[in-house]
Amino acid sequence: MRTIGRALRAPFAARARRELLYSLLSLPLAVLGVAADLLTVLVGLFSAGLLVLPGLPLILGLVRALGWMYRGLARTLLRLDIAEPPRQPRRPGFLGMLVFHLADPVAWRTAGYLAIRFPLGLVQFVLGFAWWVYSMFFLLYPLLWRIQQLTSHNSHVPADSSGLALYGYHFGSWFDAVYVSAFGLLCLLVWPWVQRAPLVLDRWLMPRLLGPTETSLRLVQLTETREHAINEAAETLRRIERDLHDGAQARMIALGMRLGRVESRLGRGDTEQALVLLRESRAETKEIVQELRELVRGIHPPALDSGLEPALTTLAARSPLPTTVRVELPRRPPASLETMLYFATAELLTNAAKHSGATSVAVTVLAVEGDLRLLVTDDGRGGATLDGAGSGLRGLAERVRTADGRLDVDSPPGGPTTVSIQLEGR
Amino acid sequence: MRVVVAEDTAILRAGLVQLLEEEGHEVVAAVPDAEQLKAAVAEHGPDIVVSDIRMPPSHTDEGLRAAIELREHRPGLPVLIFSQYVETQYASRLLAGSSAGVGYLLKERVLDTRDFLDALERVAAGGTALDPEVVSQLVGASPSRGSVDRLSPREREVLGLMAEGRSNAAIAQLLVVTERAVEKHVANIFLKLQLPVSAADHRRVLAVLRHLEG
């Protein structure tokens, strides 16, 4: 019942009105589009003589502008969101400028769309706008007929020749007028679906020809993640440098200074004081070794050499929270993925210990349909988000993305929190 | 001597203070950053400043900038700068004004207590002390390397020691030759590099460095 009701109201729905406007605009846009295409071809042909070559970039600019307009119309009138396709980087020089404009796949794909759009736009205009105009005309025919009759009252037109003439038949009586009106109503009721028929094709075409291609999207993603990876690497190196500079290096110098004092004490024959300083020096050496060990672990954990499971178990043992580890993998993943999972686990365990208030954590690594999945679950208070300030999850998610992976957070208020990382197992 | 020490790593700061005090110097202030260094110098008016280059907040060249600024306000204030790295650029900036009473040493030089105190006294007396590493890098990166190549190995050795800021007597002692022999080498060097002859040690350093910088 409700479906029928909705179908009957469809001609008056906002969606039908928006599509009607789109159908109306289809005619001028189709003409403009085909004109741009023809110009492109003509200038392109003439450009073989290189005379009007610089004109081509201009026309392709127009083509791109039309593509931009279509994307705008699709968004506002068809509720179809098409992302702006990314442009290729521009090389310097006149030749670079030409290549930038002429070898722009976005412009040429748009030109292709405009070519298809010409017949499609005409059909859209006829089935969408013209159909609606005729439906309205038929529907309101009794009114129009009556007005015509009144205005031509004193004229010499015979009564039976008044009104609409179709195939030699005159709809000149009240009965005829109502009949035409009923036909108009029928037309209007089916109009939304008639109008939508060519739109089905249009909706299929637009994202493919006006939107970014999968390759270009991939390119954007790779550029972003690569930049991130480079910054991350630089940041890591800087941190290691700082740790060494302020830590082991400074302590070694201090140790050296102490040994210098031992030397001068011994020179003076003050063996007792020298012994005290020597003992201090030995203790200092031990601390330096410990510090270096920590630093080395941060660069590459030695336990990782013997596999992910022993490495994660070592990590769990060092965590302040009781942590269980389960690794079920048919074979060893590539070293790069193992390292990523290890450091991700380390970070998530630190997060859990710091922020969650949990009493236990479970770490699971599984192979799911060839992919690697890491799950870190704690029984804490939950409420962790990717955007949460200071959660550090954002940075981790970015890092996972550089390896074409995904990080998801499931953390309802009150807990438990599960962070899952999925990596493509190659 | 009355010394102000600036070093951000607490363990090194304490070590330096202990070393200086055991050798009979008075450390009037030991501070962890450049701002406090400037304040301490204004308050105590020390005989010499011993400062690290890399200090908070940005951990780049705070100590160096502070030293240059201090010497602008107090020309001739002896400054001995420490670093864990050799940066010829740092040395050039430090020596841009005057090389009198300027020292630039690597931190591990502190371990050779005798050498360190030597440098300290030299700088305090208005001389120059450049780390051998710094000198060898300056020579290595010098645009006038060609002329340095014309020197004999012994002369290059003497050039290096001269650039470090050592006197003829000190060079003679280090190379185990007579002072007379050193003087001959020095004269040859100045002749080959076409440098103006200068008696004062620190002027001599400056001439050599200017030449190396091209």
Side-chain angles (χ1 to χ4, degrees):
Chain A
M1 229 18 235
R2 280 178 56 185
T3 325
I4 295 170
R6 200 169 329 134
L8 287 177
R9 279 196 304 274
F12 312 101
R15 174 179 173 180
R17 281 202 301 277
R18 284 197 311 265
E19 288 173 350
L20 176 66
L21 183 56
Y22 183 72
S23 301
L24 171 64
L25 291 174
S26 281
L27 182 66
L29 280 177
V31 174
L32 208 60
V34 85
D37 266 8
L38 285 176
L39 260 170
T40 309
V41 172
L42 278 178
V43 174
L45 285 178
F46 279 121
S47 291
L50 282 176
L51 280 173
V52 267
L53 197 60
L56 202 49
L58 217 67
I59 302 205
L60 285 175
L62 175 70
V63 168
R64 259 192 301 270
L66 280 171
W68 173 79
M69 208 187 295
Y70 269 113
R71 276 193 297 276
L73 287 179
R75 189 167 47 248
T76 49
L77 297 179
L78 304 182
R79 299 287 192 258
L80 180 65
D81 252 322
I82 302 165
E84 174 116 22
R87 289 214 69 170
Q88 263 136 331
R90 180 178 174 158
R91 290 196 177 75
F94 178 70
L95 208 68
M97 191 270 285
L98 274 190
V99 169
F100 175 67
H101 286 289
L102 300 189
D104 177 17
V106 177
W108 291 109
R109 283 192 304 130
T110 308
Y113 175 76
L114 294 179
I116 304 172
R117 181 66 195 159
F118 180 59
L120 191 63
L122 294 185
V123 170
Q124 183 70 56
F125 179 75
V126 170
L127 292 186
F129 187 70
W131 185 292
W132 176 78
V133 168
Y134 273 91
S135 303
M136 292 310 276
F137 175 69
F138 290 144
L139 185 67
L140 302 174
Y141 182 67
L143 197 67
L144 297 170
W145 176 64
R146 186 77 196 123
I147 292 169
Q148 190 205 14
Q149 263 197 336
L150 289 177
T151 52
S152 61
H153 194 255
N154 295 323
S155 71
H156 304 289
V157 185
D160 63 335
S161 69
S162 70
L164 185 70
L166 204 62
Y167 301 118
Y169 184 81
H170 275 277
F171 293 88
S173 67
W174 268 113
F175 178 76
D176 283 347
V178 169
Y179 182 74
V180 170
S181 182
F183 176 69
L185 183 65
L186 194 70
C187 285
L188 190 66
L189 286 177
V190 295
W191 162 71
W193 285 273
V194 174
Q195 173 168 256
R196 240 166 265 173
L199 274 179
V200 172
L201 183 58
D202 215 3
R203 280 171 179 279
W204 186 82
L205 278 174
M206 273 206 238
R208 279 159 187 80
L209 290 175
L210 298 181
T213 56
E214 224 159 89
T215 328
S216 66
L217 280 181
R218 178 91 181 124
L219 207 65
V220 169
Q221 194 220 343
L222 285 179
T223 314
E224 269 174 30
T225 52
R226 187 189 62 164
E227 197 176 327
H228 184 82
I230 291 170
N231 289 342
E232 178 90 14
E235 187 48 48
T236 306
L237 282 178
R238 210 181 136 65
R239 206 198 64 234
I240 293 170
E241 190 261 356
R242 277 287 291 281
D243 283 354
L244 278 173
H245 178 274
D246 298 345
Q249 213 175 349
R251 300 187 88 159
M252 285 298 282
I253 292 169
L255 177 65
M257 288 204 261
R258 193 167 286 153
L259 287 173
R261 285 165 62 206
V262 172
E263 197 181 354
S264 63
R265 294 265 153 83
L266 282 177
R268 270 183 257 136
D270 187 356
T271 39
E272 205 170 311
Q273 273 294 315
L275 209 60
V276 172
L277 282 173
L278 261 183
R279 236 176 250 130
E280 280 175 24
S281 304
R282 192 164 53 89
E284 175 84 23
T285 319
K286 217 157 121 193
E287 280 170 32
I288 294 171
V289 171
Q290 267 165 10
E291 197 176 307
L292 283 174
R293 193 186 298 130
E294 283 300 313
L295 197 69
V296 166
R297 214 199 304 274
I299 298 168
H300 177 81
L304 207 48
D305 292 335
S306 42
L308 194 55
E309 186 162 8
L312 291 183
T313 311
T314 314
L315 198 60
R318 291 162 50 83
S319 166
L321 295 173
T323 305
T324 58
V325 173
R326 188 163 67 96
V327 179
E328 279 172 28
L329 296 174
R331 62 192 136 78
R332 275 193 78 166
S336 62
L337 297 189
E338 279 190 338
T339 309
M340 171 159 281
L341 287 179
Y342 175 87
F343 282 111
T345 310
E347 205 168 319
L348 291 172
L349 286 181
T350 312
N351 270 358
K354 245 195 252 170
H355 307 296
S356 75
T359 55
S360 72
V361 184
V363 176
T364 315
V365 182
L366 298 167
V368 183
E369 290 161 10
D371 285 351
L372 286 171
R373 184 178 287 173
L374 164 73
L375 297 164
V376 177
T377 306
D378 70 58
D379 58 357
R381 65 178 77 92
T385 59
L386 261 179
D387 315 304
S391 74
L393 282 174
R394 180 91 261 155
L396 185 57
E398 278 298 319
R399 240 170 303 146
V400 169
R401 218 159 73 92
T402 56
D404 281 334
R406 247 187 50 212
L407 181 145
D408 294 297
V409 183
D410 177 32
S411 181
T417 298
T418 298
V419 178
S420 70
I421 290 174
Q422 186 134 355
L423 296 172
E424 273 173 45
R426 272 153 290 181
Chain B
M1 273 190 290
R2 301 175 68 250
V3 188
V4 168
V5 173
E7 159 69 58
D8 61 321
T9 316
I11 191 166
L12 284 186
R13 191 167 62 238
L16 266 174
V17 171
Q18 246 166 354
L19 178 74
L20 288 169
E21 284 182 340
E22 271 178 31
E23 296 299 331
H25 296 295
E26 184 194 349
V27 177
V28 288
V31 296
D33 62 54
E35 284 313 309
Q36 292 186 48
L37 166 65
K38 285 182 225 164
V41 169
E43 190 188 332
H44 300 287
D47 298 323
I48 185 166
V49 169
V50 175
S51 172
D52 186 11
I53 286 187
R54 225 165 85 150
M55 285 191 290
S58 78
H59 291 277
T60 52
D61 59 352
E62 280 80 1
L64 183 68
R65 276 187 278 133
I68 291 169
E69 205 184 306
L70 282 172
R71 280 170 63 85
E72 268 167 23
H73 293 304
R74 299 165 174 254
L77 171 72
V79 170
L80 183 57
I81 293 290
F82 275 97
S83 164
Q84 279 189 11
Y85 308 93
V86 173
E87 278 282 359
T88 51
Q89 183 225 345
Y90 287 166
S92 304
R93 278 168 62 192
L94 194 61
L95 295 165
S98 149
S99 66
V102 171
Y104 177 31
L105 295 182
L106 281 181
K107 279 196 180 159
E108 59 255 41
R109 298 300 158 208
V110 185
L111 305 187
D112 289 320
T113 316
R114 208 49 271 152
D115 246 24
F116 167 63
L117 294 171
D118 229 40
L120 190 76
E121 269 148 33
R122 206 156 71 224
V123 171
T128 311
L130 283 190
D131 198 278
E133 279 290 318
V134 178
V135 173
S136 72
Q137 273 203 13
L138 276 173
V139 173
S142 170
S144 48
R145 235 187 125 170
S147 58
V148 176
D149 284 344
R150 281 203 303 274
L151 303 179
S152 72
R154 192 54 157 200
E155 281 161 0
R156 250 174 279 165
E157 224 171 332
V158 174
L159 175 77
L161 291 168
M162 243 177 1
E164 282 172 32
R166 302 192 191 251
S167 64
N168 282 355
I171 295 173
Q173 205 184 352
L174 275 167
L175 298 181
V176 205
V177 291
T178 61
E179 221 176 308
R180 189 76 199 94
V182 174
E183 273 165 32
K184 226 178 79 192
H185 287 309
V186 171
N188 273 339
I189 291 167
F190 274 69
L191 198 68
K192 284 188 187 173
L193 301 186
Q194 293 172 318
L195 289 174
V197 184
S198 170
D201 289 342
H202 73 84
R203 290 234 181 78
R204 195 166 76 166
V205 174
L206 208 58
V208 173
L209 290 177
R210 288 278 178 281
H211 175 75
L212 291 176
E213 279 171 21

